[in-house]
Amino acid sequence: MTLAELENAKAASLAEIAAAQDAAGVESLRVKYVGRNGSIPALIKAMKDVPKEERPAFGKAVQSWRAEVEAALAAKGGGAGSSEKRVDADLTLPGMWRSLGVKHPLTRVMEESAAIFSRLGFTVADGPELEDRFHNFTALNTPAHHPSQDRSDTFWFGDDCLLRTQTSPVQIRVMEQSAPPVRVICPGRTYRRDTTDATHSANFHQIEGLYVDTKPVSLADLKSVLAYFAKEMMGDGVTVRFRPHFFPFTEPSVEVDFTCHVCKGKGCNVCKQSGWIEVAGAGMVDPRVFGFVDSRRKDGAYDPAKVSGYAFGFGVERIAMIKYGIPDIRWLYENDMRFLSQLG
Ligand code: PHE
């Protein structure tokens, strides 16, 4: 190509760009002239064939063609890589906002409980959700004919493997591993073959507590610890009352109520006018439970004649529902951000 031909080609290309109708047209001209296989890069590649003395002038002309083509493309809203790179940025717009997220109410109750009990010297213990019969039932003094062992109440996998129906088996595992004194809580998931409705779910959460010592432990110790927990978790004016009950692994056994935190005991719709809300089961560890632990440890550390203790088990959903005024347990599992984000 001579210099004159080059000038003609340049004029033609600029006219073509000026006449382009739309972005697609501009883009195809960009590809045609300055794209990787376009005519200007081809000319640059072919420079080596231009006689030496003409090369500087020719090179200059090619560069100025390229610059003018790019300027013309840019003026048309195109240009090198324009299809990927162009942004219609208004730099005065506010940035993208992402919420930090909030903790799930069940997580909050479990973490807050661990913090409250840790102020009283309790540590957090953990145990498997897939349990065996010994830890979930036998060592908790629950005989084979007890209804909770029934196939219709418990998720069984064969004869000796089940989804734990309560966090109480962690009591046994803790005592198997550590000599007294032990002072632990265990927040965790539990499973029962319940049909789901507003107050039942086949899997739910409990917080187990266990204190065992070689010093005498009394029901008054249990009550004072639970009263402290009630006040810290639900606020001033909330305390506990015990009602006699039965659990195979505690004797005596009690059901634990919190003062209704809404009416502070006066009676309202939330507590069905009673002034109290049931939240936990508890009691003094049955000596037979220590006997089962002793039969495994064989070191006498839990000799029923030498140790005493208390245990309790809270329903986490129950506490979350009363604390945050949640009317339906299913809301806790549906993962609906319209609900969850309100509790942040
Ligand atoms: N495990 C019992 C339940 O699920 C609660 C409980 C725990 C009762 C510890 C007494 C002591 O109902």
Side-chain angles (χ1 to χ4, degrees):
M1 190 184 274
T2 64
L3 266 177
E5 284 169 343
L6 192 147
E7 289 304 326
N8 286 340
K10 175 172 160 183
S13 68
L14 294 174
E16 241 182 309
I17 293 169
Q21 296 293 324
D22 52 20
V26 173
E27 174 62 10
S28 74
L29 292 170
R30 182 189 71 78
V31 172
K32 179 174 173 189
Y33 291 109
V34 292
R36 204 140 54 101
N37 300 314
S39 32
I40 297 177
L43 269 183
I44 293 170
K45 260 183 240 149
M47 286 274 274
K48 57 181 186 315
D49 304 326
V50 176
K52 221 176 173 177
E53 54 288 0
E54 290 170 26
R55 228 178 264 167
F58 197 81
K60 236 178 168 176
V62 173
Q63 290 307 341
S64 98
W65 183 13
R66 176 183 209 134
E68 282 187 54
V69 163
E70 279 175 354
L73 287 167
K76 280 277 195 176
S82 62
S83 49
E84 304 88 37
K85 284 192 197 133
R86 204 175 88 241
V87 277
D88 293 318
D90 177 351
L91 299 179
T92 64
L93 285 174
M96 292 253 275
W97 184 82
R98 275 175 216 275
S99 102
L100 271 181
V102 294
K103 281 189 176 159
H104 191 280
L106 296 177
T107 308
R108 287 177 62 176
V109 168
M110 289 191 280
E111 289 185 355
E112 215 174 297
S113 303
I116 295 167
F117 282 112
S118 81
R119 297 202 279 278
L120 299 171
F122 285 77
T123 55
V124 174
D126 202 5
E129 291 176 25
L130 208 51
E131 264 297 2
D132 55 36
R133 189 191 290 271
F134 178 79
H135 290 93
N136 196 87
F137 291 123
T138 314
L140 289 162
N141 196 32
T142 308
H145 58 77
H146 192 277
S148 61
Q149 293 222 34
D150 199 302
R151 306 225 146 240
S152 63
D153 287 330
T154 301
F155 292 105
W156 283 94
F157 300 90
D159 255 3
D160 195 32
C161 186
L162 61 130
L163 288 172
R164 67 180 179 195
T165 59
Q166 49 191 352
T167 43
S168 303
V170 183
Q171 292 183 30
I172 307 301
R173 292 188 177 275
V174 166
M175 289 190 280
E176 281 174 343
Q177 276 156 27
S178 339
V182 294
R183 202 187 259 108
V184 293
I185 63 157
C186 167
R189 197 181 285 256
T190 51
Y191 303 82
R192 288 180 200 174
R193 292 184 68 159
D194 280 331
T195 305
T196 303
D197 63 22
T199 53
H200 293 85
S201 164
N203 69 71
F204 55 102
H205 299 74
Q206 292 188 332
I207 300 172
E208 194 76 11
L210 174 72
Y211 172 46
V212 181
D213 210 327
T214 46
K215 297 184 295 207
V217 180
S218 76
L219 204 64
D221 297 328
L222 169 64
K223 198 165 189 181
S224 66
V225 161
L226 295 185
Y228 176 75
F229 176 70
K231 175 172 147 297
E232 293 294 294
M233 180 56 90
M234 303 304 296
D236 282 340
V238 175
T239 184
V240 291
R241 80 169 175 186
F242 284 177
R243 282 178 290 113
H245 196 66
F246 173 81
F247 295 106
F249 39 92
T250 46
E251 182 60 34
S253 301
V254 294
E255 274 193 317
V256 184
D257 297 339
F258 280 179
T259 322
C260 174
H261 61 297
V262 176
C263 61
K264 298 280 151 60
K266 289 193 198 73
C268 67
N269 288 341
V270 172
C271 58
K272 301 197 182 74
Q273 308 304 329
S274 73
W276 297 95
I277 296 178
E278 183 195 326
V279 285
M284 303 308 292
V285 180
D286 193 304
R288 286 182 60 102
V289 172
F290 294 135
F292 282 108
V293 171
D294 220 30
S295 72
R296 283 267 167 123
R297 290 182 60 108
K298 300 193 169 70
D299 64 354
Y302 285 89
D303 178 346
K306 293 191 188 133
V307 293
S308 57
Y310 59 69
F312 55 84
F314 282 95
V316 179
E317 279 78 356
R318 186 106 183 101
I319 293 180
M321 287 169 78
I322 61 174
K323 188 173 165 88
Y324 302 117
I326 303 166
D328 190 320
I329 197 169
R330 290 168 291 199
W331 292 13
L332 291 166
Y333 309 117
E334 283 169 354
N335 232 6
D336 186 336
M337 286 305 290
R338 290 171 302 180
F339 159 64
L340 293 174
S341 59
Q342 291 178 46
L343 302 174

